[in-house]
Amino acid sequence: MRNVLPAPTTPLPFVDVAAGNREVEDELRRAWDRVVSSGRCIGGPDVEQFEERWAARCGRGHAVGVANGTDALELVLTALGIGWGHEVVLPTNTFVATAEAVVRVGATPRFADVDPDTLLLTPATVEAVMSHRTSALIAVDLFGALPDMSALAALADRAGIVLLEDAAQAHGARLRGRPAGSFGLASCFSFYPGKNLGALGDAGAVVTDDTALAERVRCLADHGRSARDAQEHLAAGVNSRLDAVQAAVLLAKEARLDAWNERRAVLAARYSAGLADTDLLPVETPPDVSSAHHLYVVRTPDRDAVQSRMTAHGVTTGIHYRVPCHRTPAFSRFAVETLPVAEAAALVIVSLPMYPHLRDSDVDYVCGVARGAVTAVAS
Ligand SMILES: *Cc1c(COP(=O)(O)O)cnc(C)c1O
């Protein structure tokens, strides 16, 4: 084997949540103490403060903290009355949660293909699967980058359907200066620990400018309670509230989000330069998008062999996602047609380590290992 680099003594992780926690350790301890001594464990001042800050970041009138990102999507669909008999269009190359939410409300997911360079939805790929039964489109900000939301919004308007944004991978990203979370009728976030902004457990949020929609989501997420009277149950809701301790953690980390995203951008540029003359081709970011660089994804024809060689040299990688939703046992019954771009991409994509605490030398090491792996596999 050529280009053999010494393996690091411990494998380089794919993400390092602990490193982010360490950076805000003092704030986390203060947050914990505040919640412990207040005794207010669900809702309360930390939740309200975080909701205000998150709504402001997204340029929205309202944010409703919920238990996780999947619930955020499901609650919005339920609040909009989307269910049996409705079709919802979404990209097939997303985390299964987007599709789960659609199926759980009783609606039918219509999986769409994506652009071959960016792996994002386009108006053409959406239109190809729309029907007269389509009620909503969920556009996903994949890997940290937004699809052309203006074009998708124009399409949704023309068709008279609702546009929703799944922004779970794009905290802090921008499209022509406008923040992720500001597009469509409502946007949904996950604060799963590995996201760009992560809690110390599960958490999520819905943001919207629609006051009635925000109220409905809040009501449904809290056992259908009315805002005026906790004993008055207006709907058969669920329990999907944001814990005070998670809101306190999110407040502490949100203050670092922009700096962390800037660091991700530096690392992404370093990867791109380090891999420029190889046949590891990065998934492209649209030129008008300032990505949150949630994941750094490259394509290589012999992906499985390249990935195992990287593992052997102590580099942990991921695949997002190995099987497009419409090909999984969970959702294949909703597959209407083949979606050639997403299906082909799933075979060649590999995600390299990406997190703000990655060192420049780590990126150089990964590039060296990746280069060696591609050369070895090709020969
Ligand atoms: C993480 C993620 C979700 C789900 O969020 P959870 O908080 O894990 O429920 C939804 N959509 C996308 C695109 C995601 O990446």
Side-chain angles (χ1 to χ4, degrees):
M1 199 198 331
R2 279 170 282 161
N3 287 326
V4 178
L5 286 163
T9 43
T10 52
L12 188 66
F14 181 66
V15 286
D16 189 352
V17 172
N21 292 344
R22 270 196 302 279
E23 193 183 318
V24 292
E25 204 170 333
D26 293 342
E27 290 98 312
L28 294 187
R29 287 193 199 291
R30 280 201 294 279
W32 175 257
D33 290 345
R34 192 164 68 237
V35 174
V36 167
S37 62
S38 80
R40 187 73 199 261
C41 302
I42 296 167
D46 282 281
V47 171
E48 283 162 26
Q49 206 188 324
F50 176 69
E51 286 176 342
E52 264 170 44
R53 199 179 298 171
W54 198 249
R57 178 181 274 279
C58 299
R60 294 284 205 176
H62 309 275
V64 181
V66 297
N68 57 69
T70 313
D71 282 3
L73 291 160
E74 184 180 333
L75 286 161
V76 169
L77 292 170
T78 305
L80 291 170
I82 293 170
W84 295 105
H86 296 249
E87 287 183 359
V88 178
V89 174
L90 70 159
T92 188
N93 60 332
T94 180
F95 181 54
V96 288
T98 323
E100 281 171 335
V102 173
V103 172
R104 287 184 52 85
V105 301
T108 302
R110 283 303 313 265
F111 295 107
D113 212 348
V114 287
D115 175 78
D117 298 322
T118 62
L119 304 186
L120 296 167
L121 284 182
T122 71
T125 65
V126 171
E127 257 181 315
V129 299
M130 272 175 57
S131 79
H132 65 281
R133 294 170 63 187
T134 305
S135 301
L137 162 63
I138 306 179
V140 176
D141 303 337
L142 192 73
F143 307 153
L146 291 83
D148 186 345
M149 286 293 190
S150 325
L152 294 176
L155 169 61
D157 274 353
R158 271 201 314 280
I161 65 170
V162 169
L163 173 65
L164 300 172
E165 180 186 14
D166 180 344
Q169 300 188 2
H171 317 72
R174 286 177 178 273
L175 169 64
R176 293 181 214 111
R178 245 182 90 173
S182 69
F183 296 91
L185 181 57
S187 309
C188 298
F189 285 93
S190 163
F191 304 111
Y192 175 80
K195 308 289 189 190
N196 287 42
L197 177 62
L200 287 181
D202 282 310
V206 173
V207 295
T208 182
D209 284 320
D210 185 322
T211 305
L213 178 60
E215 281 170 4
R216 278 203 297 282
V217 168
R218 197 180 287 288
C219 165
L220 287 168
D222 187 20
H223 300 295
R225 280 196 174 104
S226 97
R228 293 174 309 281
D229 178 358
Q231 292 285 342
E232 190 184 14
H233 298 274
L234 303 172
V238 295
N239 177 357
S240 183
R241 298 168 301 209
L242 180 59
D243 290 343
V245 74
Q246 301 303 353
V249 167
L250 291 169
L251 278 168
K253 289 192 173 181
E254 194 271 347
R256 298 291 215 286
L257 178 59
D258 292 329
W260 283 345
N261 279 351
E262 278 164 31
R263 176 66 188 153
R264 285 174 183 267
V266 168
L267 295 166
R270 195 170 184 94
Y271 269 132
S272 299
L275 298 171
D277 56 350
T278 70
D279 57 3
L280 290 150
L281 292 179
V283 171
E284 285 171 28
T285 298
D288 46 5
V289 169
S290 160
S291 176
H293 301 286
H294 176 57
L295 294 172
Y296 189 86
V297 181
V298 294
R299 286 176 275 203
T300 181
D302 240 322
R303 192 266 317 279
D304 291 348
V306 167
Q307 191 182 29
S308 51
R309 276 180 184 270
M310 293 189 72
T311 308
H313 287 282
V315 175
T316 316
T317 56
I319 299 175
H320 299 86
Y321 297 91
R322 189 179 288 278
V323 182
C325 289
H326 75 287
R327 295 286 223 164
T328 63
F331 302 108
S332 58
R333 68 195 157 105
F334 302 108
V336 176
E337 54 269 297
T338 58
L339 301 169
V341 174
E343 285 172 24
L347 302 174
V348 298
I349 47 176
V350 57
S351 312
L352 306 182
M354 172 54 85
Y355 42 94
H357 301 83
L358 203 61
R359 296 168 303 182
D360 288 354
S361 59
D362 295 328
V363 171
D364 298 345
Y365 179 76
V366 174
C367 289
V369 168
R371 237 168 226 284
V374 171
T375 314
V377 164
S379 64

